[in-house]
Amino acid sequence: GNSVTQMEGPVTLSEEAFLTINCTYTATGYPSLFWYVQYPGEGLQLLLKATKADDKGSNKGFEATYRKETTSFHLEKGSVQVSDSAVYFCALSDYGYQKVTFGTGTKLQVIP
Amino acid sequence: NAGVTQTPKFRVLKTGQSMTLLCAQDMNHEYMYWYRQDPGMGLRLIHYSVGEGTTAKGEVPDGYNVSRLKKQNFLLGLESAAPSQTSVYFCASSRDSSGNTIYFGEGSWLTVV
């Protein structure tokens, strides 16, 4: 079956530091890949997505590239802010499987 | 633009009581989902629906029932609540499963004492 593996958190960074959150996946088909963000007390919001190999999703300074050869979709940001503190979820959607598979989430804390 | 709306947002139940969580979406989506979120375990799928009148089991269906009588609504029922069902519940919807975005409600905090 499909699965998503994320690096365990929490991740604590100083403001303006570089961020990488690793995500790898297992899928039998050709999935679409997503990063969702959950701010405290809220539901999940789509941060970015990529639908095919070598696509790069980007939003709000975050980027992730769909790497089929390494089955990865790592999230990066060049300079994090305190407002980026949240839980980040990697996910995949594979046509025919009728549901989205989520990773366990990585908590990011950015300190001033 | 409501999107996905869940009610109630907070609820405290006694062990053995029953309750229903309501999810409503106004995007005409075919697919709807119920997840629970527990510390250190991420999101786990309880039940889902691929269209009006259909339901299917997810990863952790035991102790829950669902119904999708109308396309826009997806109800999650707890017939006899247990402390292990203390969790945050999220409803979500999507147009289909072929890589389209899944949209989430804001969550329902349920405590069973």
Side-chain angles (χ1 to χ4, degrees), chain B residues 26-46:
Chain B
D26 61 2
M27 296 173 281
N28 201 34
H29 284 168
E30 291 293 335
Y31 283 57
M32 296 188 74
Y33 313 84
W34 276 107
Y35 291 89
R36 59 178 289 173
Q37 185 179 30
D38 302 292
M41 304 195 73
L43 288 170
R44 293 184 291 170
L45 182 65
I46 304 171

Side-chain angles (χ1 to χ4, degrees), chain A residues 14-112:
Chain A
S14 297
E15 206 164 21
E16 299 184 0
F18 184 86
L19 169 71
T20 299
I21 300 178
N22 291 337
C23 171
T24 56
Y25 68 90
T26 301
T28 55
Y30 298 94
S32 293
L33 302 174
F34 306 84
W35 276 101
Y36 282 83
V37 58
Q38 183 182 29
Y39 298 104
E42 299 183 10
L44 280 70
Q45 304 171 27
L46 179 68
L47 180 59
L48 52 85
K49 65 186 278 188
T51 58
K52 61 183 187 296
D54 299 326
D55 269 2
K56 177 184 283 189
S58 61
N59 186 25
K60 298 180 181 180
F62 291 89
E63 293 183 339
T65 300
Y66 189 144
R67 301 286 188 200
K68 193 170 188 297
E69 63 277 12
T70 55
T71 61
S72 65
F73 193 54
H74 304 322
L75 182 69
E76 296 181 336
K77 187 175 185 182
S79 176
V80 294
Q81 305 300 312
V82 172
S83 57
D84 294 326
S85 298
V87 180
Y88 293 81
F89 290 89
C90 186
L92 72 83
S93 174
D94 198 359
Y95 184 78
Y97 279 84
Q98 298 183 331
K99 57 184 183 287
V100 178
T101 302
F102 287 86
T104 54
T106 302
K107 184 175 183 178
L108 169 66
Q109 183 177 11
V110 181
I111 54 178

